[in-house]
Amino acid sequence: LDLKVDAVRAKKSKHLPTVLTKDEVFLIIKHLSGVHQLLIKLLYGTGLRLSEGLSLRVKDIDFAQKQIIVRDTKGNESRVTMLPESIAEELKIHLQSVKIIHQQDLQKGYGSVYLPFALERKYPRAKYDWIWQFVFPSSNISKDPRSGEVRRHHLHESSLQKALKQAVRQAGIQKKVGCHTFRHSFATHLLQDGYDIRTVQELLGHKDVKTTMIYTHVLNRGGKAVRSPLD
């Protein structure tokens, strides 16, 4: 039985990301506090994904060069994004309190951290080093399922998501906002400020410029986000 099937390949979703205005971003930030506020400022100010922000190690923040090195979790290549000047001082103060926690952990016989890519075998003492500690550590120590070692992991994403949900509600913003919305807003606002798409692509770590192109469709302008010469 010869059934002729006219198969139509499914089209890729043209779903546009939710983007906040600058005012909305700052309104949400105003309704956050402490570490959650600092994290959202960081995500919006750098374009980091939530997982990248939570995985940051002390050595990834370069205050002298005003930059953040984002290590690819898959171990491929890292990229560089800016360290917003407006949060540099706040980050330094935050790291001072994180360092105290780390020192207390060491005194109690803990203080090790999970190291990626078999570095633990290569450098057995590195896991206790300050530079390898997470910038946003968890408030409690737990057993690492990988090694069985009792240590401090990074902050759990659910605690930020919960705080963000509440802040969005309090700010009265009628949009579906998640942590990733700040990355979308970062990209869109840079393009609105006149930065070229290749620069934005590099900052976001997109392999293909087509992925970055979606933000040109979000801009509140006409065809292909090109400004008419008449304007």
Side-chain angles (χ1 to χ4, degrees):
L1 185 68
D2 188 17
L3 285 176
K4 199 171 183 310
V5 179
D6 275 332
V8 179
R9 198 177 281 279
K11 276 202 180 83
K12 251 192 176 166
S13 163
K14 276 273 181 145
H15 187 65
L16 292 182
T18 301
V19 168
L20 299 162
T21 65
K22 285 184 184 180
D23 287 346
E24 287 171 335
V25 168
F26 288 110
L27 190 58
I28 292 170
I29 286 170
K30 215 172 86 178
H31 284 91
L32 285 160
S33 61
V35 138
H36 295 138
Q37 188 189 64
L38 182 56
L39 250 167
I40 291 296
K41 279 183 188 171
L42 186 79
L43 298 186
Y44 172 61
T46 60
L48 294 184
R49 299 174 177 92
L50 174 59
S51 58
E52 292 169 339
L54 293 175
S55 309
L56 279 179
R57 313 270 180 160
V58 172
K59 66 183 184 58
D60 298 333
I61 298 179
D62 185 341
F63 288 102
Q65 298 287 329
K66 297 192 173 94
Q67 63 185 26
I68 293 174
I69 293 104
V70 189
R71 316 267 167 199
D72 187 345
T73 43
K74 297 178 199 77
N76 298 333
E77 56 211 64
S78 47
R79 70 180 195 275
V80 172
T81 186
M82 72 285 268
L83 166 60
E85 285 184 43
S86 54
I87 64 165
E89 214 42 53
E90 203 178 331
L91 256 176
K92 277 182 187 166
I93 293 164
H94 167 74
L95 284 173
Q96 283 166 3
S97 58
V98 173
K99 194 169 194 174
I100 292 167
I101 293 168
H102 176 54
Q103 284 163 343
Q104 287 168 346
D105 285 352
L106 286 171
Q107 282 161 7
K108 291 174 191 160
Y110 303 118
S112 80
V113 72
Y114 163 73
L115 294 185
F117 327 125
L119 281 169
E120 209 159 318
R121 280 203 305 274
K122 207 171 169 189
Y123 308 108
R125 297 294 306 164
K127 61 184 179 182
Y128 297 104
D129 288 352
W130 163 239
I131 61 162
W132 278 103
Q133 301 304 310
F134 288 116
V135 174
F136 297 101
S138 165
S139 53
N140 50 15
I141 281 175
S142 57
K143 195 172 184 175
D144 187 335
R146 284 167 292 220
S147 63
E149 201 166 335
V150 177
R151 52 172 45 148
R152 200 178 287 275
H153 200 54
H154 60 63
L155 197 71
H156 198 278
E157 55 190 49
S158 63
S159 78
L160 180 64
Q161 286 159 341
K162 216 158 98 186
L164 178 62
K165 206 172 171 179
Q166 197 181 345
V168 171
R169 206 169 45 237
Q170 287 171 339
I173 287 163
Q174 306 295 313
K175 286 180 182 175
K176 193 167 165 25
V177 178
C179 296
H180 216 66
T181 310
F182 295 92
R183 178 171 157 90
H184 295 321
S185 304
F186 163 87
T188 307
H189 297 167
L190 282 182
L191 291 169
Q192 279 170 342
D193 290 342
Y195 289 98
D196 69 285
I197 194 129
R198 292 280 176 195
T199 303
V200 178
Q201 177 195 357
E202 267 179 49
L203 291 169
L204 291 171
H206 286 159
K207 298 274 181 284
D208 191 343
V209 77
K210 285 198 190 82
T211 317
T212 322
M213 289 298 286
I214 192 158
Y215 298 110
T216 62
H217 304 303
V218 182
L219 296 175
N220 299 324
R221 295 196 203 147
K224 298 267 182 227
V226 175
R227 197 188 286 274
S228 163
L230 185 64
D231 301 334

